[in-house]
Amino acid sequence: MVKSTSTQVVIVGAGPAGLLLSHLLDLEGIASVLLENRSGEYVLGRIRAGVLESSSVELLEQVGVGDRLRREGFEHRGIYLQWPEERHHIDFVDHVGRPVWIYGQTELTKDLMQAREAAGQRSFYEVDDVTLHDIESERPSVRFVSAEGEPREVVGQVVAGCDGFHGPSRHAIPADLQRTWDHAYPYAWLGVLADVPPSTDDLIYAWHPEGFALHSMRSETVSRLYLQVDPDDDIANWSDDRIWESLAARLGDGQNGWHLQAGPITEKSILPMRSFVATPMRHGRLFLAGDAGHIVPPTGAKGLNLAIADVAVLSGALAALLKDGRSDLADAYSETALRRVWRCTHFSWWMTSMLHAHGDDFDAQLQLAQLRWVARSGAAAAGLAENYAGLPIGY
Ligand code: APR
Ligand code: PHB
């Protein structure tokens, strides 16, 4: 016997997209049930992105989940672009009047989980066998097996598929109505978290003939660093010493008096890079948001911000649909969200293509020509700044 309950919106996935959507709906007085196949601790323990655009920060503040972010996050005016012997600062505030913020996705997830708990809305963690049903009707449902092994069903008026790239929601849209674009890159990132103060004030994006490197950070005592590696490289090939040596070489340790401080590595893994877009982002009463609908390579720091922008648009559309019986915003959701998705897909591809080495000498010269142009032309730098610091919500 399947235990059945009902709500207004069934949200699949408790990543940033699902959690923030649940909070935005709660503020509209719309009830939701949240389903997540991992445990809360697992979700909180995942090391993910760390850069928030100004519009993301403003939204989080407006909806009451920005206090700790403003207290503990770090405002950054810009980034460094670098190649051997040269480092240039691109100041976003000077160019477009907006900074970015460093605040780990894990911290944001914690804030959003607390807001969800305070709202007293139902969440099921560690669920299994999640399947979507009747999404073309006005009473779509999601079936699953609860952590206690009980088969259950939640019936809603809408299902929000916020279950990331590997979740089931996207696959509930009939294949003949869906179009996807999948672009694999011939490189991956090896990411490390290290207990060492950052050796830089702003993030350093470094082009190097041996491969790209990025110096990012999480706090005054924790650094986050990345190295371009082969997509089928094995993390076992990368001892901590080899990682620090490669980072030092690619980030330019010793150049112009700058030094990279090494320290204990507490986490390391290899992350694949792809661009992926699935359209439409809405079918019947199913709406996709975040990584469930699109993936960008991490070079432009857009994944988390796109998830936030999607649910900002979606919550407004669902409020109009469920509270006022108006379907115009819901009907426009896919097209509205995809405008930003494609803009960010292009920007992420552009940053990735400009910064990663792939062994072709002609391409290397083009990359260097482009980097010099961005560093020296105010117009080019403003273009990077406008995209990196973020376009307005609803762009
Ligand atoms: N049932 C329920 N939940 C599921 C299922 C399933 N079958 N499959 C996946 N999930 C959960 C995942 O465990 C995860 O917690 O859906 C959630 C999706 O969260 P994210 O992958 O974080 O995606 P999203 O919320 O869209 O956030 C996108 O997160 O990792 C970054 O680069 C990404 O920064 C971007 C942002
Ligand atoms: C990070 O800090 O994890 C990070 C920062 C910038 C990026 C990607 C990842 O472009």
Side-chain angles (χ1 to χ4, degrees):
M1 204 22 211
V2 177
K3 192 163 172 182
S4 187
T5 49
S6 67
T7 187
Q8 286 177 288
V9 180
V10 190
I11 302 176
V12 188
L19 284 166
L20 179 58
L21 178 65
S22 80
H23 180 64
L24 298 176
L25 292 177
D26 186 57
L27 295 180
E28 295 281 358
I30 297 173
S32 63
V33 169
L34 187 62
L35 306 175
E36 164 62 50
N37 69 340
R38 303 285 193 168
S39 69
E41 299 76 62
Y42 180 94
V43 171
L44 280 173
R46 283 191 300 222
I47 308 298
R48 292 277 185 88
V51 179
L52 288 173
E53 299 172 355
S54 285
S55 53
S56 300
V57 172
E58 279 156 24
L59 173 76
L60 294 167
E61 268 196 322
Q62 275 164 20
V63 300
V65 284
D67 289 355
R68 203 161 67 88
L69 156 58
R70 282 283 188 207
R71 266 199 327 273
E72 297 175 22
F74 295 87
E75 187 177 337
H76 284 242
R77 287 185 67 97
I79 57 168
Y80 294 102
L81 278 184
Q82 148 172 338
W83 54 96
E85 308 300 333
E86 289 195 44
R87 180 177 293 171
H88 297 266
H89 192 251
I90 309 291
D91 193 305
F92 303 156
V93 180
D94 283 353
H95 285 295
V96 293
R98 302 190 294 279
V100 293
W101 285 73
I102 295 290
Y103 191 62
Q105 184 171 320
T106 42
E107 300 309 314
L108 177 60
T109 306
K110 202 185 290 174
D111 299 340
L112 292 170
M113 277 185 178
Q114 271 168 12
R116 171 93 195 160
E117 252 167 60
Q121 304 255 10
R122 193 89 203 256
S123 305
F124 292 88
Y125 281 83
E126 297 181 79
V127 302
D128 262 328
D129 300 336
V130 172
T131 52
L132 283 67
H133 302 270
D134 304 321
I135 56 169
E136 287 165 358
S137 81
E138 295 198 349
R139 301 298 287 158
S141 65
V142 180
R143 293 190 199 143
F144 62 99
V145 176
S146 73
E148 295 74 33
E150 202 180 14
R152 299 189 68 123
E153 172 189 62
V154 186
V155 183
Q157 290 163 268
V158 160
V159 174
C162 302
D163 44 359
F165 185 66
H166 300 288
S169 295
R170 185 174 67 250
H171 305 289
I173 297 180
D176 57 337
L177 298 180
Q178 194 171 58
R179 175 142 192 225
T180 59
W181 290 261
D182 198 354
H183 180 79
Y185 295 85
Y187 17 77
W189 278 14
L190 188 166
V192 304
L193 205 59
D195 276 340
V196 61
S199 302
T200 177
D201 52 350
D202 276 343
L203 273 60
I204 306 171
Y205 286 78
W207 182 96
H208 192 277
E210 282 170 25
F212 170 71
L214 170 62
H215 191 329
S216 181
M217 59 205 74
R218 285 292 175 276
S219 69
E220 274 159 356
T221 53
V222 177
S223 296
R224 178 82 170 139
L225 300 121
Y226 297 97
L227 284 169
Q228 175 189 343
V229 296
D230 221 56
D232 36 49
D233 206 338
D234 188 340
I235 195 74
N237 295 330
W238 289 86
S239 67
D240 292 4
D241 285 349
R242 183 179 173 206
I243 290 172
W244 284 116
E245 276 161 28
S246 296
L247 285 168
R250 297 186 196 182
L251 288 169
D253 180 55
Q255 278 170 32
N256 303 314
W258 181 81
H259 285 290
L260 175 69
Q261 203 183 329
I265 289 178
T266 55
E267 203 264 351
K268 58 179 167 183
S269 56
I270 292 182
L271 326 160
M273 290 173 84
R274 73 189 321 156
S275 292
F276 176 86
V277 181
T279 65
M281 287 174 66
R282 178 259 179 117
H283 177 70
R285 286 293 179 109
L286 168 65
F287 296 79
L288 303 178
D291 280 13
H294 41 77
I295 296 278
V296 287
T299 327
K302 287 290 151 224
L304 173 58
N305 293 293
L306 264 183
I308 292 173
D310 281 354
V311 298
V313 175
L314 181 55
S315 61
L318 295 184
L321 183 70
L322 302 178
K323 285 167 56 176
D324 310 331
R326 260 180 51 210
S327 64
D328 55 331
L329 296 179
D331 293 342
Y333 169 68
S334 182
E335 207 184 318
T336 307
L338 282 166
R339 269 201 300 276
R340 188 189 196 91
V341 168
W342 279 114
R343 175 84 296 282
C344 293
T345 300
H346 174 265
F347 177 66
S348 306
W349 165 86
W350 179 74
M351 286 285 280
T352 304
S353 311
M354 177 167 68
L355 286 161
H356 290 73
H358 46 95
D360 182 301
D361 262 359
F362 178 69
D363 282 352
Q365 292 308 320
L366 295 183
Q367 289 173 321
L368 288 167
Q370 175 144 292
L371 282 162
R372 281 187 212 106
W373 176 57
V374 174
R376 289 180 193 154
S377 147
L384 188 153
E386 183 179 35
N387 282 278
Y388 196 110
L391 300 153
I393 296 281
Y395 164 80

